[in-house]
Amino acid sequence: MDLLNALVAILNFVVIPAASYGAQLALGALGVTLIYGILRFSNFAHGDTMAFGAAMVILITWGLQALGIGLGPLPTALLALPFGIALSAVFILGTDRAVYRFYRRKRSAPIILVMASVGVMFIMNGLTRLIIGVDEIRFDDGARFVFTVRDFRDWTGLSEGLSLRVSQLITLVVTALACWGLFRFLNRSRAGKAMRAYSDNEDLALLSGIDPERVVRLTWLIATALAVTAGTLYGLDKSFKVFNYFQILLPIFAASIVGGLGNPLGAVAGGFIVAFSEVAVTYPWKKIATYLGFEPQGLLQLLSTEYKFAVSFVILIVVLLFRPTGLLRGKSV
Amino acid sequence: MAEPYLSATAMRGGYGKADILNGCTLTVDKGQIAVIVGPNGAGKSTAMKAVFGMLALREGRVTLAGEDITGLTPQERVRKGMGFVPQTHNIFPTMTVEENLEMGAYIRQDDFTGTLEQVYDLFPAVADKRKQNAGELSGGQRQQVAVGRALMTRPSLLMLDEPTAGVSPIVMDELFDRIIEVARTGISILMVEQNARQALEIADIGYVLVQGANRYTDSGQALLADPEVRRTFLGG
């Protein structure tokens, strides 16, 4: 019985939260890794693309709510998501036209593009704050739980409870669908293969008649769609606050580097590795140890949650020191 | 006399101020194998790049099937029927052999499965590995994929920049055999080779370049028999 209780506790406090957080990181890291593979720079504005997109989704959600349109038990934000993606894509393609294309034509060094993206990041951050404000916003309407701790206890008779929030389930389902769609696109479609070819060998792709500007546009579109989806899911799960998206950039970069920059499969794996490490290191294991028959003195928490970003840093440094191309062989940084 | 299929005449140009090509002329007839040899730094690869439009010419002109293509970009020349196999970085390493060939046919709107089968017939060794990533193949097989990729557009002129660089002598012989087969189907071949002796043996016409200009031009056999060429360029 205690073993079951320990398992349920691990599931409730570690596995489910880490899985949904990992899914959000994975979606973000996919965008970073695609842009790195095709445009060959690390996009610092990615976190704020998530914030900007989520802000658009929130505005549209409010509009839909005012019109009385909803999805019943599901959050209205899901309905607003495609519109949010479209608006953000227009903005991001605009930044490419106004900023990145200039440096691309000049064949500037990647570090120059990185610095340009830092500039875009500040502009987007300021713009998002102007549009929607700096306060914390909750926009998750509909049902809150798929099942609650109480439901679970009643069903099973265990003393330990397990809950699954709607936002967590949606995160996992949407991420699975997005990954499935993305990998199918990259592996099966002509345009997806052209993107991979361009990422592999730019000059040979040119010789083969692949239009680089088309590939670049497509990459921005996909990366933006993934970023806005990730940003919305993160906001639904944890509430929306512009500054949080700036902070989440670090674990997202860590995830894409751990998985191997430029390697989409690696980005997904990296997202979950970072999320599980972060949650496992900051979770107090006392309860579970007690179920397993130990009598721990302290909380068994390796690191307090304020320092969770240190986990990303440590993972990043270890990977860069010992396996700079990442776990699944991306490009070396 | 009819104009040769490819004719690049009196090419002059380089990357910076100093010219690398100093009046170099190359011509290839239909189904011919033309080989460019010469010492290091003679401008062999540069001459080939100039023919393909990767180098802006100061003087001279390039015609293909009688049409002046001097002003065209490499991509436009591919559409005109040129295929180019770079010396290095000539495959998509994380894509499968089949995907590499598909990318070769990217500009084709029609059904290219027939060409795919022809390439597999030509290179049975890579046909067995069509689902494997090209980056995992041996050096010789990679070169076969690279040549196959260029053949997917059904070019009328195939240009090869040192196709046998870094492969074993056995693989080299096999590659040369395949190149002869390609030429027999009516495709003209222009290639740069380090292994001058072996390459001249299969050459219908050989160009010995020195300092960006033609030093000797003759059939491959004649160049091999020329004591002067042998002494200076073929090591006796």
Side-chain angles (χ1 to χ4, degrees), chain A residues 43-81:
Chain A
N43 182 18
F44 272 70
H46 203 72
D48 282 291
T49 305
M50 288 166 64
F52 181 85
M56 293 297 119
V57 168
I58 291 173
L59 291 179
I60 295 162
T61 302
W62 287 343
L64 289 172
Q65 283 168 342
L67 292 171
I69 303 171
L71 282 177
L74 296 176
T76 315
L78 280 187
L79 201 60
L81 185 59

Side-chain angles (χ1 to χ4, degrees), chain A residues 36 39-44 99-100 103-104 107-120 253 333:
Chain A
Y36 187 88
L39 290 114
R40 299 177 210 287
F41 73 96
S42 304
N43 182 18
F44 272 70
V99 181
Y100 301 118
Y103 295 106
R104 193 161 60 240
R107 290 194 162 242
S108 298
I111 188 67
I112 294 177
L113 282 150
V114 170
M115 289 302 122
S117 81
V118 172
V120 172
F253 272 16
V333 192

Side-chain angles (χ1 to χ4, degrees), chain A residues 199-215:
Chain A
S199 162
D200 249 15
N201 189 338
E202 191 178 334
D203 294 326
L204 199 60
L206 286 176
L207 284 187
S208 305
I210 293 167
D211 176 6
E213 286 301 312
R214 246 194 86 193
V215 169

Side-chain angles (χ1 to χ4, degrees), chain A residues 187 190 193-194 196-197 200-201 204-210, chain B residues 52 75 78 89-95 99 102-103 106 149:
Chain A
N187 291 323
R190 198 171 112 95
K193 284 178 189 171
R196 282 166 56 217
D200 249 15
N201 189 338
L204 199 60
L206 286 176
L207 284 187
S208 305
I210 293 167
Chain B
F52 191 54
Q75 287 87 329
V78 170
H89 299 105
N90 49 21
I91 54 163
F92 301 111
T94 73
M95 302 179 82
E99 286 171 336
E102 276 176 46
M103 285 300 111
Y106 190 79
R149 187 206 63 83

